[in-house]
Amino acid sequence: LTSEKDGIAAIVSTRLSAETLTAFKDLFAGNQLVTSIEEGMPTASASQFAQKQGAFEGKLDMLKTADTVLCIGTDIGKTHMVAGFLFKRNLPKGTRLITVDPEENELDEISNLSLKNKRGSDLALIRGLEAIIVKEELGRSPLTITTPETLIDEAIRETDLTLEQLTQTARILANSITPVILYGNGITAHRDECLVEELYKLAVLVGAVDKERSGLLSVKGQSNSLTAALLGLDQVFKLNGQKAVYVALGDDRISPSLVERLSKAPYLVVQASYESKLTEQADVVLPVTVWSEQEGHYINLDGRIQKTEKVLASPENVRDNLAVVNELATRMNISLESNWQQAIHARKSSVALN
């Protein structure tokens, strides 16, 4: 690895601790491609918007008092059961649920409205809802739209939804007292900051975001996705002549797509807890402990910094992920001096840290 210098690509799991992610980034800081296994899909667009807007997302507790929840681009039943529980228990009390997802969604059966828009039409849909609200003068804050009819027609054409469906959705949102908009990979995977910004405009328009409350939330990804975003580990992984790839997988799983891309690496080192198709094709495998055998800090989707403790003793000859990274740094004569608590404040967070 030392002999390759700038010819290394490095990719790390977002299940690893803040200490490990920071050390990993420092170890490979001189290389152009240093990213996470998620490649920023759950966080990059929100992080980009946060750099100019500041913290704009709210906390999960907002779901407890929501009278309307709009879920767009996320299947909460699969991706975040806790978030789903917080509002589903209030549905019998009158909380309304609107689901927007081109695919079948576990929330469809319990939703007041389930919109099956065409893939790639989310931006047109959001702008169409804004246009209807502005046209009918239902907004809780001003938003200038010069030709709402044009945006409404475009939304109907691009989403394959009816005017009635769009109007009903817009009116429910606009007439709510405490609406919350919850979004996920269906929005963020496009890596389009404009989508997040338009959702923010819609949230402000219907009163989900104002001076007193912030009812716009994203479900993000693995347990330290937000930390990875704050460290800038959110590039798309695409090899461009690198001679070696280092993968700090830990006890995470990896997608078949990424395994395929990694198979093209001339030399592959994998730091992992379990055997997998990836370790099978690796030139070197460095065994590491699982989550219960290590400690460290994590930032959840609420921006809360939490410390995990080791609960099980690891096998005598197996090191934890941070120890492996530190040992590599020592052998490569690299000094890791960054403090993770300082490093996470280098970029603005989409949600306030606490």
Side-chain angles (χ1 to χ4, degrees):
L1 290 176
T2 303
S3 65
E4 294 299 340
K5 296 183 180 179
D6 294 343
I8 303 172
I11 187 166
V12 63
S13 166
T14 53
R15 282 176 54 84
L16 304 187
S17 68
E19 293 89 337
T20 306
L21 292 175
T22 303
F24 182 87
K25 181 182 177 182
D26 284 354
L27 178 61
F28 296 105
N31 298 275
Q32 292 183 345
L33 183 54
V34 184
T35 188
S36 75
I37 286 171
E38 291 179 334
E39 303 175 80
M41 286 181 62
T43 53
S45 54
S47 181
Q48 289 164 7
F49 182 56
Q51 301 319 300
K52 63 181 182 182
Q53 182 64 36
F56 65 93
E57 292 185 323
K59 314 286 186 179
L60 282 175
D61 279 351
M62 299 297 297
L63 292 167
K64 294 179 180 179
T65 56
D67 61 355
T68 297
V69 177
L70 169 64
C71 286
I72 180 167
T74 178
D75 192 338
I76 290 297
K78 294 179 180 177
T79 59
H80 206 297
M81 296 178 68
V82 172
F85 172 76
L86 290 177
F87 66 80
K88 284 195 285 187
R89 64 182 179 180
N90 289 329
L91 296 181
K93 302 176 185 177
T95 295
R96 292 161 295 187
L97 175 61
I98 303 169
T99 303
V100 180
D101 192 342
E103 307 296 332
E104 293 301 314
N105 192 302
E106 288 189 10
L107 297 180
D108 289 340
E109 294 183 0
I110 59 174
S111 297
N112 299 83
L113 285 175
S114 179
L115 305 183
K116 297 298 176 188
N117 59 315
K118 287 195 295 188
R119 280 183 173 277
S121 65
D122 293 312
L123 185 58
L125 185 148
I126 296 165
R127 287 175 173 167
L129 295 177
E130 292 169 344
I132 291 171
I133 293 168
V134 168
K135 182 181 179 181
E136 297 191 358
E137 299 182 349
L138 297 174
R140 304 258 290 271
S141 66
L143 178 64
T144 301
I145 298 178
T146 53
T147 56
E149 294 83 1
T150 301
L151 293 179
I152 295 168
D153 290 342
E154 185 177 328
I156 294 169
R157 184 174 63 255
E158 292 196 17
T159 63
D160 218 15
L161 299 173
T162 65
L163 176 60
E164 182 181 357
Q165 287 175 304
L166 293 170
T167 301
Q168 190 176 3
T169 301
R171 288 173 178 171
I172 289 175
L173 283 172
N175 290 321
S176 300
I177 304 300
T178 54
V180 171
I181 299 175
L182 191 61
Y183 67 100
N185 259 4
I187 295 294
T188 59
H190 297 286
R191 304 180 70 91
D192 185 356
E193 180 190 338
C194 290
L195 265 174
V196 176
E197 184 170 4
E198 210 63 46
L199 263 184
Y200 178 78
K201 289 180 182 178
L202 176 63
V204 172
L205 182 64
V206 300
V209 172
D210 56 27
K211 292 181 179 179
E212 297 180 355
R213 59 194 308 275
S214 185
L216 179 63
L217 297 76
S218 64
V219 293
K220 303 178 179 65
Q222 295 276 22
S223 51
N224 237 352
S225 284
L226 184 54
T227 303
L230 293 172
L231 294 173
L233 297 169
D234 53 9
Q235 288 179 260
V236 174
F237 184 82
K238 186 177 181 180
L239 290 175
N240 184 26
Q242 285 87 356
K243 301 294 179 59
V245 177
Y246 191 99
V247 184
L249 183 62
D251 57 6
D252 204 350
R253 292 177 293 178
I254 197 164
S255 70
S257 167
L258 191 50
V259 171
E260 173 64 24
R261 280 178 279 164
L262 288 167
S263 69
K264 296 178 173 58
Y267 187 80
L268 179 63
V269 180
V270 179
Q271 173 179 322
S273 306
Y274 303 113
E275 293 181 355
S276 66
K277 289 185 178 180
L278 187 63
T279 59
E280 287 176 7
Q281 66 189 38
D283 295 281
V284 177
V285 176
L286 302 175
V288 288
T289 55
V290 297
W291 67 270
S292 56
E293 299 168 339
Q294 54 197 10
E295 61 184 21
H297 288 83
Y298 292 78
I299 306 177
N300 68 8
L301 64 82
D302 269 354
R304 186 175 298 114
I305 300 172
Q306 301 170 308
K307 188 176 189 297
T308 61
E309 302 289 349
K310 178 163 51 174
V311 295
L312 293 176
S314 58
E316 185 176 349
N317 296 322
V318 180
R319 306 184 189 192
D320 64 39
N321 286 279
L322 181 57
V324 170
V325 172
N326 284 334
E327 179 64 20
L328 276 172
T330 299
R331 297 193 178 212
M332 295 169 68
N333 198 27
I334 296 174
S335 177
L336 303 181
E337 299 179 351
S338 291
N339 181 307
W340 71 268
Q341 292 169 302
Q342 294 175 346
I344 61 173
H345 293 288
R347 302 177 85 189
K348 293 180 181 177
S349 174
S350 61
V351 59
L353 302 182
N354 54 66

